[in-house]
Amino acid sequence: MTSPATHVQGKINLRRPDIMEAVQAQVMSHYRSELVERIRARGHEISAGGLTVKLARQFGFCYGVERAIDLAYAARKVFPDRPLYILGEIIHNPEVNDQIRAMGIKFLTGSQKDADMEDLRPGDIVIIPAFGTDVATRRRLEEIGCQFVDTTCGDVMSVWKRVRQYSREGVTSIIHGKAWHEETKATSSQARAYGSGHYLVVYNLEETDYVCRYIVHGGNKEEFLRKFAGAYSEGFDPDVHLEVIGVANQTTMLRGETEEVQRRLRNAMIQKYGEANLHRHFRYFDTICGATQDRQDALEKLLEEPLDLLLVIGGYNSSNTSHLAEMGEARLPTYFIKNASKLVSNKLIRHFNLQRQEEIETRDWLPDGPVIVGVTAGASCPNNLIEDVIRRLFELRGISVQELLAT
C-alpha cells in the first residue's frame, strides 16, 4: 500500500492538500478560540464591570508555527501506527509540546525526553522542529537512515542561506542571538558546514561593544576567548577572523537591537579600515522574522494607548515572547505568564521574572476600580490560551464572558 506522503532523499512531504485538509479540524479544535475572534471583530477590545481588555493587533501563532504544528499532526495522521520522534520542542510553548507528546510522538532531547538517538533505526521518522537543527545532528540522522518531517521555519532558513554565503566568501558570521538557543545553534553550524567559515555569537550591545573595541584597538586574546566561551567556532581567532565580518541574527531578537548591533559593528570597521574599504570588510542583510517584527510593532502601538498593566502570554523559554515582555517592562507594570492558572486571584499573580530567570509572585497586581489591561502573546502561543487568560481576568471581577458576549 502506497503512503499518501511523498519521499525525497529521506525527506517526507506531507503538504498535500488532501492531507493538510484532513488535519485542520483537529488542529483548530485544540488551539482555536471563538472568543478571541469575537474580540478581534469588536475592534480588539472588550469591557465590562470597570475592566477593559485591549488586545494587540498582532499576537499569537505566526505562519511558521502554524505550519510546524500542522506538519506534526499530519505525520501522526499519515503514520498512525509508526513510531514518530521529534528532535526537541516543536515550538517554545509547554501546552503545545504536551499535546505533541500526548499524540505519542517521542522527544529525543529535553528534560522529558522519551527516547535517545541510539534508539533510532533506518526508516524511522523524525520531526525537525521549527527552529531547525544543527548540521551535525542532521548528518547523524541521515547516516542512520532516518526519514524527516522538516518543519524548519522559512525565515530561519533564509538566515542559514546568508551564513553559508558568508562562509563561502571567507566572511566571519557575527550572529546576534542567544548562543544556547536551538535556532542560533542551528544557524551557527551552517558557518562550518560548507567550508572553513567561522562564527561569533553576540548576545547584547555590551558584548557588541566589547567586540568593536577589539576590532579597533586589539586586546587580550585569551580574555576575549574566555568571555565568549561556547559562542564561537572551533579554531576562531579574534586577531584573524574579525578582519572580514558579516552580521546575521536569531530571527526572534528585537529588530531595533539587531540594527544597533549592525550599526556599531559597521562603524568599528570604518574606524579600523576606512569607509572607502568598508565593502571589503563588512556585510549585512536584514533577516529579522516578519512575524516577530509585526508583533513588536503591534505592541508598540498598544503601549501608546492608556493602559494600567500588560499581560504577555507565552512559554518562558520563548525568545520572541521574552522580548515582548521586555518592551512592556520598559513602560508599565508587565506580567509574563504562560497560562491562565498564573492569575491566582485579584491579589496574587505568578509570573516570570526575566532578570532572575525564575517565576515569582506579585501581590495586589490587579487594581480595584476601573482598570485597562493590555494583552499580547508570543508567536508560539495558541489562541485558546489567550482566551483562558481573558476569561480568567473577567472571572476575577465576577463577570461571565459568555453573558458579556451575548449582549
Side-chain angles (χ1 to χ4, degrees), residues 52-86:
T52 298
V53 172
K54 293 188 175 185
L55 274 173
R57 293 281 165 171
Q58 296 285 340
F59 58 85
F61 276 179
C62 64
Y63 169 75
V65 165
E66 289 178 345
R67 174 181 173 276
I69 292 172
D70 285 350
L71 287 172
Y73 276 60
R76 175 44 78 205
K77 189 165 191 68
V78 171
F79 304 105
D81 303 318
R82 294 269 302 269
L84 295 182
Y85 302 88
I86 188 166

Side-chain angles (χ1 to χ4, degrees), residues 7-28:
H7 305 251
V8 180
Q9 294 182 341
K11 182 178 177 181
I12 301 172
N13 178 21
L14 298 172
R15 291 192 64 77
R16 278 180 40 178
D18 54 333
I19 298 173
M20 299 313 294
E21 187 176 328
V23 303
Q24 282 303 308
Q26 185 183 12
V27 173
M28 293 287 277

Side-chain angles (χ1 to χ4, degrees), residues 85-89 106-110 117 120 126-129 132-134 137-138 141 148:
Y85 302 88
I86 188 166
L87 286 176
E89 295 187 350
K106 298 180 179 180
F107 284 62
L108 293 167
T109 62
M117 295 278 277
L120 298 175
V126 179
I127 300 170
I128 298 175
T133 189
D134 64 276
T137 298
R138 177 144 190 157
L141 293 172
F148 303 110

Side-chain angles (χ1 to χ4, degrees), residues 156-225:
V156 173
M157 289 192 285
S158 293
V159 181
W160 292 0
K161 180 181 177 181
R162 296 303 182 191
V163 171
R164 289 197 295 266
Q165 180 179 338
Y166 291 157
S167 176
R168 286 192 294 268
E169 296 175 353
V171 176
T172 298
S173 293
I174 308 293
I175 302 168
H176 177 220
K178 302 170 182 178
W180 60 90
H181 192 282
E182 298 96 321
E183 180 190 326
T184 295
K185 287 180 178 179
T187 296
S188 60
S189 74
Q190 300 293 320
R192 304 292 285 170
Y194 304 95
S196 57
H198 286 277
Y199 68 84
L200 173 70
V201 181
V202 294
Y203 172 52
N204 54 26
L205 295 180
E206 182 274 325
E207 290 189 357
T208 302
D209 286 341
Y210 184 96
V211 174
C212 289
R213 287 192 296 270
Y214 200 97
I215 288 171
V216 176
H217 304 293
N220 185 311
K221 183 194 298 187
E222 288 70 28
E223 178 188 90
F224 186 107
L225 296 176

Side-chain angles (χ1 to χ4, degrees), residues 219-247:
N220 185 311
K221 183 194 298 187
E222 288 70 28
E223 178 188 90
F224 186 107
L225 296 176
R226 283 196 301 272
K227 180 177 180 64
F228 290 97
Y232 54 80
S233 51
E234 183 180 354
F236 174 82
D237 183 341
D239 293 337
V240 176
H241 299 123
L242 292 177
E243 291 183 2
V244 185
I245 62 173
V247 181

Side-chain angles (χ1 to χ4, degrees), residues 315-327:
Y316 294 159
N317 59 341
S318 166
S319 178
N320 75 88
T321 313
S322 297
H323 291 309
L324 295 175
E326 289 173 2
M327 290 174 64

